[in-house]
C-alpha cells in the first residue's frame, strides 16, 4: 500500500473570483499539481513517463466536493492517496485543507494510454513503484 503524500500550495490572487473565493476549476488544477508531486515522491517524473516510455495518464473521471471556501494567500495542504491501482488504471483521492479546516475533497481516475491514445498496460517499472506485483 502506498503512503499518503502531502503537497502545499499558496492561493494566488488570480485563482480567486469576484467574491474573493477560489474559483471552482482551480481545485482540479491543484489536484493535478498534487498528483504530479505524488508520482515524483514514489520515484518517477510524470514527464519522463510520457516522453521516455510513451505512457499517458488520461483522466477518465473527476469529482470535487467543495466543503468550505479557500481565499487569497491561504496555504492549502493537499493530501493525496491511491485507493485503487492496476495495470489498466489508477485512482487518486485528494483532501484539501487549510489550517486543519477541510476545504474540498476530490477524486480522479486515470487510464493508461499509448502515444496513439490507445489503452495500454502499465509497464513493469511503473507498476513496481505503484506497488503492483
Amino acid at each position: 500500500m502506498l503512503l499518503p503524500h502531502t503537497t502545499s500550495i499558496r492561493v494566488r490572487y488570480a485563482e480567486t473570483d469576484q467574491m474573493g473565493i477560489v474559483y471552482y476549476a482551480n481545485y482540479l488544477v491543484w489536484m493535478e499539481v498534487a498528483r504530479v508531486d505524488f508520482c515524483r515522491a514514489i520515484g518517477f517524473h510524470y514527464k519522463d513517463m510520457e516522453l521516455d516510455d510513451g505512457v499517458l495518464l488520461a483522466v477518465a473521471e473527476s469529482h470535487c466536493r467543495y466543503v468550505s471556501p479557500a481565499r487569497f494567500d491561504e496555504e492549502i495542504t493537499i493530501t493525496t492517496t491511491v485507493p485503487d491501482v492496476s495495470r489498466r488504471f489508477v485512482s487518486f483521492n485528494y483532501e484539501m485543507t487549510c489550517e486543519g479546516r477541510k476545504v474540498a475533497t476530490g477524486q480522479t481516475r486515470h487510464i493508461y494510454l499509448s502515444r496513439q491514445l490507445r489503452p495500454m498496460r502499465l509497464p513493469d517499472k511503473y507498476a513496481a513503484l505503484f506497488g503492483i506485483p
Side-chain angles (χ1 to χ4, degrees):
M1 179 174 166
L2 296 168
L3 296 175
H5 181 73
T6 59
T7 301
S8 293
I9 58 112
R10 187 160 297 279
V11 177
R12 295 170 294 201
Y13 186 79
E15 294 173 315
T16 63
D17 61 17
Q18 189 174 5
M19 296 178 287
I21 295 171
V22 171
Y23 180 68
Y24 74 93
N26 286 308
Y27 292 87
L28 295 172
V29 174
W30 295 351
M31 288 189 276
E32 179 183 2
V33 169
R35 185 169 59 251
V36 170
D37 198 32
F38 181 94
C39 291
R40 191 177 301 116
I42 65 168
F44 71 94
H45 293 268
Y46 212 95
K47 179 178 78 171
D48 294 341
M49 183 172 73
E50 292 179 346
L51 294 175
D52 298 343
D53 298 300
V55 180
L56 309 175
L57 276 176
V59 177
E61 297 177 36
S62 65
H63 175 77
C64 189
R65 181 171 185 275
Y66 308 97
V67 179
S68 68
R71 300 179 189 278
F72 170 63
D73 207 36
E74 290 182 328
E75 186 170 347
I76 307 299
T77 300
I78 307 161
T79 303
T80 306
T81 57
V82 175
D84 199 12
V85 63
S86 73
R87 293 278 185 154
R88 296 282 184 198
F89 67 86
V90 60
S91 296
F92 295 90
N93 285 349
Y94 314 89
E95 182 175 88
M96 292 156 262
T97 59
C98 178
E99 297 179 3
R101 170 179 53 91
K102 189 181 296 185
V103 173
T105 59
Q107 300 84 36
T108 56
R109 185 173 172 91
H110 306 256
I111 185 168
Y112 311 115
L113 296 180
S114 68
R115 287 188 181 105
Q116 294 74 37
L117 303 181
R118 301 243 190 267
M120 67 178 290
R121 290 178 53 79
L122 187 64
D124 290 343
K125 76 181 198 182
Y126 299 108
L129 296 172
F130 275 110
I132 300 170

